Amino acid sequence: MIVTLTANPSADRAVVLSDALVPGEVQRAVSSREDAGGKGVNVARVVTAAGAPARAVVPVGAHDPYRVLLEDTGIALDIVEVAGRARANLTITDPTGETTKLNLPGAELSAVEAEALTAGVVAAAEGATWLVLAGSLPPGVPASFYADLVSAVRGRWGAAAPLIAVDASGEALAAVVESARPDLIKPNHEELAELVGEDPSLDADVLAEAARRATALVPGRVASALVTLGADGALLFTADGAWRGRAPKIQVASTVGAGDSSLAGYLLADLEGAPAPDRLARSIAYGAAAATLPGTQAPTPADLPAGPIAVSNFATPIATS
């Protein structure tokens, strides 16, 4: 079982343009769609579509329009009732696949609602293999929320506690890495640089700098790190080694949710007991599949790119795996 938390859910609205986005102009869209979004929800959708068990813990009100979108996904839900409405995020994609995102902050959670959300996650984590803490935090909760939640889950379930994966950024990621030693983090290149207090725009060699930063964290402060690099594939760092995987060539429709699908692919492979290189390959395959789909659609095994994903020990020639 994979349990996910989406603390700051969103209704993801995707608009496709016939031409490049021109700020200040009126343009017509050729298509649009709306999906129940939020990183943890996206992970649960992908896991469920692959036939593996998943549950999503989501704070949402009884009369929130987002709730209809969420229930329509068909994923197993543990809903924590809150007063505010889920935010709406807008994604605009042009014919080349270039994506512009507008993300709203989300409704504020009261202290009582935050406590109820913590209790809901702790209860849902019973018997789970992985607990995924994913996405931004809503207004009203401290940056330490994920770190405190990890402590609460481990304190309640002890040796039976699930492995903890964190897909976050900024202060929330820094806090959980500082005090909770998660089992897996999934930053992109920019988020990893921010985590260690560096400027990614100064990097002459993205792969080398990502490796340097990740190895400073793994395994002392983080058990493992999956670093997604978009079209450059991904890197995986564990206590046993480091691997690089190359992304297949695809036609990009939307990059929204691709990182979430990458994490889901990794966890699916881990549930099967796959070794690290295969976990990395599955991660890249799922991320690539998501990028070929419009909006925030969850890729299924049928959507995965044909052919193997090239994976190698990092800093050695690429081999097929």
Side-chain angles (χ1 to χ4, degrees):
M1 170 70 74
I2 294 173
V3 173
T4 73
L5 168 65
T6 303
N8 198 18
S10 62
D12 286 350
R13 295 168 182 163
V15 174
V16 178
L17 301 179
S18 58
D19 299 296
L21 177 65
V22 182
E25 296 294 327
V26 176
Q27 295 178 257
R28 293 188 181 277
V30 297
S31 67
S32 66
R33 63 177 292 124
E34 188 171 37
D35 297 287
K39 285 181 171 295
V41 169
N42 293 340
V43 170
R45 290 169 62 197
V46 175
V47 172
T48 300
R55 296 193 68 83
V57 181
V58 188
V60 61
H63 303 293
D64 190 336
Y66 173 81
R67 189 159 180 162
V68 176
L69 293 173
L70 184 62
E71 292 173 346
D72 284 347
T73 64
I75 61 176
L77 298 168
D78 284 353
I79 289 178
V80 177
E81 297 283 348
V82 295
R85 286 193 172 189
R87 59 193 174 136
N89 291 339
L90 176 63
T91 300
I92 303 171
T93 304
D94 71 13
T96 68
E98 184 171 1
T99 298
T100 301
K101 286 202 70 179
L102 302 175
N103 290 349
L104 297 182
E108 183 170 345
L109 284 189
S110 69
V112 171
E113 290 170 336
E115 290 176 6
L117 186 58
T118 296
V121 173
V122 171
E126 182 180 9
T129 304
W130 280 95
L131 170 62
V132 179
L133 309 178
S136 61
L137 295 175
V141 302
S144 63
F145 182 76
Y146 283 152
D148 296 339
L149 188 50
V150 172
S151 296
V153 169
R154 289 174 174 166
R156 173 64 181 85
W157 301 115
L163 298 170
I164 307 289
V166 180
D167 184 3
S169 60
E171 293 181 355
L173 178 60
V176 79
V177 168
E178 177 66 26
S179 64
R181 195 178 184 273
D183 298 286
L184 175 69
I185 60 171
K186 196 222 67 65
N188 60 30
H189 168 237
E190 291 79 10
E191 291 164 346
L192 179 61
E194 181 183 19
L195 177 61
V196 298
E198 297 178 358
D199 184 353
S201 67
L202 302 178
D203 293 346
D205 186 333
V206 170
L207 290 173
E209 292 302 313
R212 177 181 61 81
R213 291 164 182 148
T215 52
L217 299 171
V218 177
R221 298 170 64 190
V222 176
S224 57
L226 173 64
V227 184
T228 52
L229 303 171
D232 290 325
L235 302 171
L236 175 62
F237 300 86
T238 76
D240 298 321
W243 296 266
R244 179 192 178 187
R246 293 190 183 276
K249 292 182 179 181
I250 59 170
Q251 180 64 46
V252 175
S254 172
T255 58
V256 180
D260 310 331
S261 294
S262 294
L263 176 56
Y266 180 95
L267 298 178
L268 284 166
D270 183 77
L271 288 183
E272 297 170 6
D278 292 344
R279 298 197 300 270
L280 178 58
R282 188 87 63 90
S283 170
I284 293 171
Y286 266 92
T292 66
L293 302 173
T296 316
Q297 294 189 60
T300 70
D303 297 313
L304 299 183
I309 301 295
V311 174
S312 73
N313 289 325
F314 188 64
T316 66
I318 290 292
T320 298
S321 173

